[in-house]
Amino acid sequence: MLKCEHLVKDYVTGDGLVHAIRDLTITFRDNEFVSILGPSGCGKTTLLNIIGGLDNYNAGNLIINGRSTKDYTDKDWDTYRNHRIGFVFQSYNLIMHQSVLSNVELALTLTGVEKEERRRRAVAALEKVGLRDQLNKKPTQMSGGQMQRVAIARALVNDPDILLADEPTGALDSKTSVQIMDLLQEIAKDRLVVMVTHNPELAHVYSTRIVELKDGQIVSDSKPVDEKENLEEAGKEALKKPSMSFWTALSLSLNNLMTKKGRTFLTAFAGSIGIIGIGLIMSLSNGVQSYITSVENDTMTSYPITIEDNTMDMSVLMGAMMDMGDERTGHDDDRIYTKNFANKILSSIAQTESNNLTEFKTFLQSKDGEAFRSLAKAIEYDYDLTIHAYNPNAKTEKGLVQVAPNGLMEAIGMSDMMSLREQFLSSSMNAGNEVWNRLPDSQALRDDEYELVDGHWPENYDEVVIEVDENNEISDYTMYSLGLMDQDELVDNYNDLQAGKIDEIEPGESVVYTKDELLDTTFKLVLNSAFYEKQGNLWIDKSEDEAFVDQLVRDGLDVKIVGIIRPAQSTVSHTSMGGVYYPQAMQDYIIEKTNESDIVREQKENKEINVFTGRAFSDEAFDPNALSDAEKMQLAQLDQKQLMEYMNTMSENANATYASNMIKLGAVDRDTPSSISIYASSFDDKEALGDLITAYNEEQEALGHEENVISYNDMIGVMLSGVSDVINMISYVLIGFVSVSLIVSSIMIGIITYISVLERKKEIGILRAMGASKRDVRRVFNAETFIVGLIAGLIGVGITVLLNLPISMIVQHYTDVANIAVLPWQGGAILVAINLVLTMLAGLIPASMASKKDPVEALRSE
Ligand code: ADP
Ligand code: MG
């Protein structure tokens, strides 16, 4: 039973108050077909909307099943609309982008009826209105009568107590109108139907009661409810509150978006522009960062902190040079001053510091050195050890090919030039002409610098690897040096060229090896100490004795090439000449064997006497008169050449010390490296390592061990200080750009969502009429922003990835730096996520605006 008591509804307009309903009282029976007639503007629609719970009244009362609606909550109204009311409008108000079936299902969807049940009931309702075979059509493909029937089916699907129809035939021709009226009459058999119409004839034919309205008041009622009439209070069971699941909202929005794919795509694309901007900046910043990191890495690998046993303080030198251009204050303009330069430089050159590396190595390997070990990428120790290696299978006119130290320059006659060069380069720098070099001990460094092409890394002290370049080439210089190409040929050509016999040296016939052949090559290793032979009680240098050396090499240790390596792809370009790399284990082996040799043991037993001369180290110069008779006898037996050598040795003795003899013999102490190289992974790590060294120094000073203080040259640090700052600054600038793009893109998305709300106003009204709550409406729009945001994010990331390809190619073309624009997948995922969150945030305001829309007004909009 529905009852209006003294109902009043006023509208506030620009011109003042409009009284749409004035003091209207009427009671409806639970089962009748009421037609409401009246001129346009008399308040028919307003009354219907109030009865249907779409609009609220200003005064009076609406009583539903005996309960006053004055204390109805929003939820109560939603439930009432959803379960008790079916609306049929003049303009059908179907959701155009949904299929007929979905339109009808909508009211059930809102209450969360199971999918199959929903379908069954919707199909039944459509069958009732004769549209069983049009389930999947879109309303746009139907005639007006068909659409109105869909609307009736939709109104019936929830089996409401009351069907409200506002001029249902107003837009239909008379024939179709009759069909609709038949349908309504049928429906009115077991419920209340209230119909507003302009057509009195139809009303009189079909309805059971006719109410006429004028100026918001009832002017006639054909069958008013009698006071005494016994109206049953149909107490219905508690009704389920309608509520939309997020999936319903999502599918509703998805369908809506699917109907306007082009527009949705454009919207998403517009939203994605911000993402593309951010994505590109992210890619570039990522690419630049990883480029910088790899440059840092390469630089750090090429320029470790190297501490040598003797070092010149380069920073003083550099400081002096940099100081030159500084502005001096307090100078008179009309005077000339002296600039202190030469003095500074010379004094810095003279300041050679000696470092106690024995102590430092012990420290590094002790428990206290843990901080160093964990921070450093690698710590490498070098020793004053000359390795002697030969190629036993290659001969020259002068004898065996000496691979290490490289004998090629000497063969050509340029050894003087080389040794001059070596004198000027500190030993930490690769002298450059050696082809037999040490491989880093740390696998991390090896992996940084090289890539294994074939075979394996040395696993034993008698295993070496050979280096080729990225084109699988080894320079002929290295080939000659290793005796893999004929040295004599090069020497002859060189001599001919110098003598003017030829104009230029024809390139030697290039040798091609298979990897297996190269891996099969062996060399011979000879200990430094093995070059000396004891004659009487003196040790004689036999290194010039070809037969002796031949035998020595034949008895030498076999060393095998077990792997082929190649410089790793590095950003700091470095050309490879190729060469052999031996492991630290080989050095250790030589040191151990050398220390076990007779000559070294003899020298160690008597540290005062030089084993080569039999004289005390302190002897200033060679004095023949001081020779003993036995020594004179011995000398007399030597031939001319041997005598010369002896004399040479004697004069060398003037400078010889115990230590220099040990180095000459290769008897190095493993505890005393000649240099320690500490490798860092980044500038920051390097700085931290520098700080650790400072801390070590301070501790040593505090302990009173001034002699243990370490000084070193951080060339790269001096040169590159400030680079880190620049890098950081670039990063900040990029982050700034990113923030601006983010703001712009979220504003854009907010605007887009707002436009969508304006566009879907009608749908909001329909949803509300169906009983959707404000929250449901909000959900629909949140779902829409969710979808648009997701698509925008995906498009943005996709386009970014695509754009990165040409950008990288262009940058590579101009700068040779590869992969400068790479979007990390995490970055992509974060971008999509952030975009989603921002889009939904930006959509919140429009969505809540939508939910607050007055349903009546929303329905009226086109
Ligand atoms: P009917 O449906 O009988 O043609 P309505 O119920 O739509 O008439 O309107 C009754 C009166 O209320 C009319 O004068 C109309 O202009 C006014 N009216 C209806 N809705 C509004 C509104 N939202 N704001 C202002 N005036 C309104
Ligand atoms: Mg009207």
Side-chain angles (χ1 to χ4, degrees), residues 61-245:
N61 203 354
L62 174 69
I63 296 161
I64 299 167
N65 283 337
R67 187 183 156 196
S68 163
T69 56
K70 275 184 180 160
D71 51 358
Y72 259 37
T73 62
D74 278 355
K75 267 225 168 97
D76 290 330
W77 282 120
D78 293 338
T79 312
Y80 171 67
R81 280 202 306 276
N82 188 260
H83 289 276
R84 296 239 156 111
I85 300 289
F87 264 111
V88 176
F89 306 92
Q90 179 183 348
S91 52
Y92 329 123
N93 281 341
L94 298 176
I95 299 177
M96 290 304 180
H97 55 77
Q98 297 272 358
S99 71
V100 166
L101 187 65
S102 313
N103 263 290
V104 177
E105 278 184 355
L106 190 60
L108 298 174
T109 313
L110 284 174
T111 16
V113 176
E114 287 293 309
K115 191 175 173 172
E116 269 149 46
E117 167 79 357
R118 210 159 68 201
R119 197 187 151 84
R120 195 185 58 72
R121 279 163 70 175
V123 170
L126 279 164
E127 195 159 17
K128 211 169 185 175
V129 300
L131 289 174
R132 173 69 179 83
D133 50 348
Q134 315 262 342
L135 302 184
N136 294 316
K137 268 197 180 171
K138 289 277 165 70
T140 42
Q141 300 163 320
M142 301 184 115
S143 69
Q146 282 175 317
M147 283 199 270
Q148 195 58 295
R149 279 195 258 165
V150 174
I152 293 171
R154 179 180 64 186
L156 289 179
V157 75
N158 236 346
D159 191 22
D161 305 333
I162 305 163
L163 185 86
L164 303 175
D166 192 355
E167 300 187 36
T169 59
L172 301 176
D173 58 70
S174 51
K175 199 179 147 219
T176 322
S177 297
V178 168
Q179 290 172 357
I180 295 295
M181 289 309 292
D182 283 338
L183 199 55
L184 288 176
Q185 195 180 34
E186 172 75 21
I187 290 161
K189 277 183 180 160
D190 52 359
R191 77 194 77 219
L192 168 65
V193 173
V194 182
M195 178 182 73
V196 168
T197 182
H198 264 350
N199 192 329
E201 290 99 71
L202 282 180
H204 282 99
V205 173
Y206 288 96
S207 53
T208 57
R209 178 179 173 189
I210 291 175
V211 175
E212 271 185 80
L213 234 61
K214 200 180 173 196
D215 292 336
Q217 279 176 320
I218 294 175
V219 289
S220 83
D221 189 341
S222 70
K223 198 181 171 188
V225 173
D226 201 314
E227 289 279 309
K228 285 164 253 166
E229 202 170 328
N230 185 20
L231 290 174
E232 281 172 45
E233 297 285 315
K236 263 207 174 179
E237 75 283 4
L239 293 167
K240 201 175 167 207
K241 290 190 179 91
S243 169
M244 195 189 283
S245 75

Side-chain angles (χ1 to χ4, degrees), residues 118 171 270 389 616 642 646 743 856 859:
R118 210 159 68 201
Q642 284 172 322
Y646 178 77
I743 292 166
V856 178
L859 273 175

Side-chain angles (χ1 to χ4, degrees), residues 275 278 282 738 742 745-746 749 789 793 827-841:
I275 300 291
I278 300 163
M282 217 176 192
V738 169
L742 264 178
S745 99
S746 54
I749 286 156
I830 289 170
L831 267 187
V832 172
I834 288 182
N835 185 56
L836 211 51
V837 170
L838 271 180
T839 316
M840 292 194 69
L841 277 180

